[in-house]
Amino acid sequence: MEEADLIDREDQQQFLASADFLSNNGMSTLISDMQAASSEILKRKQLKDLFNTTVLHETVMQILDIFMSMGSPHKWVGYLMPEDARFYKLVKFSDSDSTNISDTKFDQLMVETRAVLSSAEFGNIMGVSLKTAVDVLMEDVKAQLGEGNLSSGMPLAKLLPVISQIISILLEEPSKNRFIQVIQDIPEVELFFTLLYANM
């Protein structure tokens, strides 16, 4: 590897620090958008309405479709990255008199990352991943409530606390998160990242 291609330690640390943007900034926006999509669908429902397996799956998929259609086609960039690729450098220098922030390998990495997250391929991968997460959610709901009980129908009021409890698992550590583990094994996801790393 040529010296020009090497990433110095400071740039590497800044890039790795940017991974915290989702948990520190983007997550609240993502949750807000998902809540808006849920409200759009659930406002047509009543708590006494009976939900069986088919109706619940269709309802969750409708929420997902609304969420995926909201905002920009490149919405994932907003969740995962600061709008300005130099955000972390600006934060670093905010307490100094220096305003001369030159392009570095960090800037290049952020631009390249933004291009990946803005791509149609990444959007498709997120769509596949979320649909798979819905399937996992349905499995967990049926396991907790009993498939027979859900098949015969259950009031929405009794379903919501169960779904809320299961969804909270999404915030667990990746090593313990069944949703993430299942998504990692999706062939399309594996292929996407294999090709991505091969082109780095």
Side-chain angles (χ1 to χ4, degrees):
M1 181 180 291
E2 297 181 1
E3 184 177 352
D5 293 329
L6 294 175
I7 303 173
D8 66 36
R9 186 175 184 81
E10 182 178 347
D11 284 344
Q12 184 182 51
Q13 289 177 339
Q14 287 177 337
F15 181 73
L16 292 176
S18 69
D20 291 335
F21 183 83
L22 173 63
S23 58
N24 293 335
N25 302 86
M27 183 62 73
S28 60
T29 303
L30 190 155
I31 291 174
S32 177
D33 288 348
M34 188 62 77
Q35 288 176 334
S38 300
S39 297
E40 179 65 24
I41 297 300
L42 293 179
K43 70 181 182 182
R44 310 167 193 169
K45 312 290 184 182
Q46 295 185 3
L47 292 176
K48 64 182 181 180
D49 288 349
L50 294 179
F51 277 61
N52 59 25
T53 306
T54 301
V55 174
L56 177 60
H57 185 270
E58 288 177 351
T59 301
V60 176
M61 288 303 300
Q62 288 171 0
I63 292 172
L64 181 58
D65 288 341
I66 291 289
F67 170 75
M68 292 297 289
S69 66
M70 291 172 60
S72 164
H74 311 309
K75 64 161 61 68
W76 296 107
V77 177
Y79 299 141
L80 298 170
M81 292 184 68
E83 183 176 352
D84 186 344
R86 300 185 182 190
F87 172 82
Y88 288 93
K89 298 189 74 174
L90 290 172
V91 169
K92 178 181 177 181
F93 287 99
S94 62
D95 295 329
S96 71
D97 295 331
S98 173
T99 56
N100 181 22
I101 303 176
S102 58
D103 288 340
T104 65
K105 286 293 181 182
F106 168 75
D107 298 308
Q108 180 182 340
L109 280 170
M110 294 296 276
V111 169
E112 291 174 354
T113 301
R114 181 176 292 276
V116 171
L117 298 180
S118 301
S119 68
E121 291 81 3
F122 185 80
N124 291 337
I125 286 298
M126 290 306 302
V128 170
S129 299
L130 288 173
K131 289 177 181 177
T132 299
V134 171
D135 293 338
V136 175
L137 171 66
M138 292 298 302
E139 291 175 4
D140 288 353
V141 170
K142 286 187 285 187
Q144 286 204 24
L145 297 176
E147 188 166 0
N149 292 330
L150 189 57
S151 297
S152 60
M154 183 171 292
L156 178 59
K158 291 187 177 181
L159 275 175
L160 289 177
V162 175
I163 295 173
S164 178
Q165 180 183 10
I166 294 172
I167 290 178
S168 67
I169 298 173
L170 288 170
L171 303 178
E172 288 185 352
E173 289 294 325
S175 60
K176 303 176 182 178
N177 193 317
R178 191 164 82 90
F179 287 87
I180 292 179
Q181 292 169 358
V182 171
I183 288 171
Q184 286 176 334
D185 293 333
I186 300 173
E188 293 93 333
V189 173
E190 291 182 337
L191 178 60
F192 175 82
F193 285 103
T194 298
L195 295 175
L196 177 62
Y197 292 137
N199 292 325
M200 291 179 65

